[in-house]
Amino acid sequence: MNAIRILLLLAGLWLGWYGITLLLDFPRADLLSVALWFAAGILLHDGIFAPLCAAVGVTARRLLPGTWWGPMACGAVCTVVLVAIAAPVIDRGHAMPDNPTVLDRNYPLGLAVALILIWALVVAAAVARLAHRSRAETPRSTT
């Protein structure tokens, strides 16, 4: 196990060094932009997004019944990930009209269908958990 960890550490160090050497070829203005986006992303995540998610999670944990907590948490995580992935393509106003292959789908509709499917599965999972719990609590007759 230690040999695998050492190999992973060495691979990570090499990849980090390779990334840094690629960045060093950038012009100064681009390097400043990369540094700004990197710092802003960390600050935005650690200062706003993570505490907000923690507060929503604690609140939901207190308000939701135990049967609903797991499926709702999974649904919320899937929703956040899909919205984050879809955010750049939702507004098609910046698509290039001379290249119809760019943003060639109805992304808002696709996102809506995916979210409806996710939340339908959340409801199905919670109902299945309720049914399983009620079946487990019902005493069986020995006749």
Side-chain angles (χ1 to χ4, degrees), residues 41-52:
I42 291 172
L43 291 174
L44 180 68
H45 177 271
D46 291 354
I48 296 172
F49 189 68
L52 180 65

Side-chain angles (χ1 to χ4, degrees), residues 17-71:
W17 179 252
Y18 179 69
I20 289 171
T21 58
L22 290 176
L23 279 175
L24 292 178
D25 293 336
F26 281 26
R28 183 175 175 87
D30 290 344
L31 283 176
L32 288 174
S33 177
V34 167
L36 177 67
W37 277 98
F38 184 73
I42 291 172
L43 291 174
L44 180 68
H45 177 271
D46 291 354
I48 296 172
F49 189 68
L52 180 65
C53 287
V56 169
V58 168
T59 304
R61 183 75 172 173
R62 291 177 189 235
L63 295 178
L64 293 173
T67 305
W68 284 89
W69 167 245

Side-chain angles (χ1 to χ4, degrees), residues 8-118:
L8 289 172
L9 175 69
L10 291 174
L13 288 172
W14 180 81
L15 287 170
W17 179 252
Y18 179 69
I20 289 171
T21 58
L22 290 176
L23 279 175
L24 292 178
D25 293 336
F26 281 26
R28 183 175 175 87
D30 290 344
L31 283 176
L32 288 174
S33 177
V34 167
L36 177 67
W37 277 98
F38 184 73
I42 291 172
L43 291 174
L44 180 68
H45 177 271
D46 291 354
I48 296 172
F49 189 68
L52 180 65
C53 287
V56 169
V58 168
T59 304
R61 183 75 172 173
R62 291 177 189 235
L63 295 178
L64 293 173
T67 305
W68 284 89
W69 167 245
M72 291 289 282
C74 290
V77 168
C78 292
T79 298
V80 168
V81 169
L82 279 176
V83 169
I85 290 171
V89 295
I90 291 297
D91 180 21
R92 294 179 52 108
H94 302 293
M96 299 174 58
D98 58 335
N99 187 353
T101 63
V102 175
L103 300 177
D104 61 343
R105 290 171 180 80
N106 188 346
Y107 289 100
L109 177 63
L111 177 63
V113 168
L115 292 177
I116 289 169
L117 178 63
I118 285 170

